[in-house]
Amino acid sequence: MILQFIFDVLSLGSLYALFALGLVLIFGILKLVNFAYGELVLVFGYSMFLLGDTPVPWFFMTLIAILMSVLISISTDYIAFRPVREKSITAVLITSFAFATILQNAALLLISPRPKNVPMPSFFSDSIQFLGVITPVRNIISIIVTFICLFIFYQFMKRSHIGLAMRAAATNFNMTRMLGIPANLVITSAFAISGLLAGIGATLWMSKLANVFPGIGLEPLLIAFIATVIGGMRSVQGAVFGGFILAFIDIGFNYLLPQDILKFRDAFTFTFVILILLIRPQGLIGGPATGIRT
Amino acid sequence: MKMLEVKNLKVNYNQVIAVKKVDLYVDKGETVALLGANGAGKSSTLLAIAGISNKASGEVLFSGKNISKLVPEKILSLGIATIPENRDIFPDLTVKENLILGGYIHRKNSKIVKQTMTSIYELFSILYERKNQIAGTLSGGEQQMLAIGRALMSTPKMLLLDEPSLGLAPTLIEKIYEHIEKLKQNTDLTILLVEQHAIKALSIADRVYFLRLGEIVLSGKAIDIKDKIDFKKIYFGD
């Protein structure tokens, strides 16, 4: 029972952590929430759907779909952020919402309002027994993929110039520029990595849902947003931690709540989140002392 | 030869005029100090040269080239490195990571980066001892050394140095200025120094400008000015 619980938290938490990481990366640098972030899951899903009828092997299909979410993430910067970035926060809020709406409606008009199938290999849903716990293969894959991603991400942020520059830019963007590091390079890289994480997260997300519909982006966006708020919007560790905490709360209520109240689980989760924020409004893990938009 | 020339510089922050009219120049190899009280417009002038203030008007020439419309990253790549007020080191990164970022423009040439880093460690041996320490845990004086070291990593032709004495104990100010003096002697670095601490700045500057309420009210050679000037009048007006 305990082991089963830990396993459930880890597998859901790793997915939440990936989503949160992609969102906090942009927030760290621009001090802006990318509200079109959830739409990267939509882009991934429909890319998979469109490729579904082609003879492309599943693995390459997924690579192409992840690449699509990277490209759309970068275009979010070019279309929604860059033209109005210097003007005002409100303007960027509106443009990122608008960009999200356009993508949703494009899916609605050009494809269908109804859910469409996303091809997933069947072994994802096979159950296996592991340390006495019965769990779908996709949960194990989620955990492994996430830990590999987190490791690579950590090394990248620690060792590469651009990774260092992104960490520096998150505390003081102007100073980073005064060292000769191009602002746009840092921002574009952040959007690309954000898109990559969202794409990988979407793969794991879809492995459970196996279909895509125009409103699919809302839940991942909410998850990422809440996880980063719990963990602390200023730190990458906070986002990852927040993802696992949110999963812990979700799964905890799954186990604790009686069957007939279970459908109100989100209300319980959000109440709990509000409680956390009442006690620690800065999030559980504080980040570097900044937060001023530059 | 004039390395930096600022003509008719004006900086507004919305309704507030920070710099009314500043004309100045710095010759190659010279150390020039920009002095004045708090709020005189010194830092605004410096940041405008560095390309940070987008509300500035007027002309900034570097080696004869107009750089007033360039972005900060471009200005650094031409050879102007800035050490802002409060030093602005990256507190979550290690000392070494801070220096690596300072040498960003040389990232393709690891030999230059290594050499420069070694010479900075020679200049500030404390930075070498603390190279793997998180920069935010350094003392104020050490952070100032790191900020200077980080700026030197780009092997600049010119240094814009904003209030190196800010918030430091007198003995540390002494030490920092010894280092700047050493830099001045050992390299052909051109320095534009902003200071409130006028006496200290006068001791190492070749020439000085006094700024009051966004305008230059006095300028000349440091030796000529040192003994004659009435600081009270410059700082507080008549």
Side-chain angles (χ1 to χ4, degrees), chain A residues 11-71:
Chain A
S11 64
L12 190 66
S14 56
L15 178 56
Y16 286 5
L18 277 188
F19 279 139
L21 196 54
L23 191 69
V24 87
L25 201 57
I26 307 290
F27 183 83
I29 293 169
L30 293 178
K31 312 288 176 256
L32 291 166
V33 176
N34 174 14
F35 282 105
Y37 182 64
E39 273 22 271
L40 300 174
V41 177
L42 173 140
V43 168
F44 174 89
Y46 281 109
S47 306
M48 289 296 274
F49 161 70
L50 293 174
L51 289 162
D53 294 331
T54 60
V56 182
W58 181 82
F59 182 72
F60 289 105
M61 234 185 247
T62 311
L63 283 188
I64 296 169
I66 291 176
L67 187 68
M68 281 306 293
S69 66
V70 171
L71 290 178

Side-chain angles (χ1 to χ4, degrees), chain A residues 78-217:
Chain A
Y78 277 87
I79 296 167
F81 281 63
R82 198 164 292 191
V84 290
R85 207 167 60 208
E86 317 261 299
K87 308 287 193 308
S88 81
I89 305 179
T90 332
V92 186
L93 268 181
I94 293 168
T95 49
S96 71
F97 269 122
F99 190 65
T101 313
I102 289 170
L103 287 174
Q104 284 166 22
N105 283 287
L108 203 66
L109 275 173
L110 302 177
I111 299 173
S112 161
R114 271 199 288 276
K116 290 289 178 193
N117 267 339
V118 170
M120 280 291 154
S122 58
F123 71 85
F124 267 47
S125 328
D126 292 348
S127 285
I128 56 161
Q129 196 164 357
F130 185 75
L131 297 172
V133 177
I134 298 164
T135 184
V137 174
R138 59 163 182 268
N139 283 2
I140 312 257
I141 293 178
S142 285
I143 298 173
I144 295 171
V145 167
T146 301
F147 279 89
I148 292 172
C149 285
L150 290 180
F151 178 76
I152 294 172
F153 181 79
Y154 175 79
Q155 293 298 330
F156 174 79
M157 295 302 269
K158 186 90 191 145
R159 297 191 193 280
S160 73
H161 276 100
I162 194 74
L164 283 179
M166 278 195 270
R167 284 165 61 202
T171 38
N172 194 332
F173 198 28
N174 273 340
M175 189 61 233
T176 321
R177 301 183 70 184
M178 283 195 274
L179 296 179
I181 302 162
N184 286 336
L185 174 73
V186 174
I187 295 170
T188 306
S189 317
F191 272 97
I193 296 171
S194 170
L196 181 67
L197 292 166
I200 296 169
T203 316
L204 305 171
W205 188 251
M206 291 287 165
S207 71
K208 202 156 55 180
L209 277 181
N211 63 52
V212 58
F213 50 93
I216 196 168

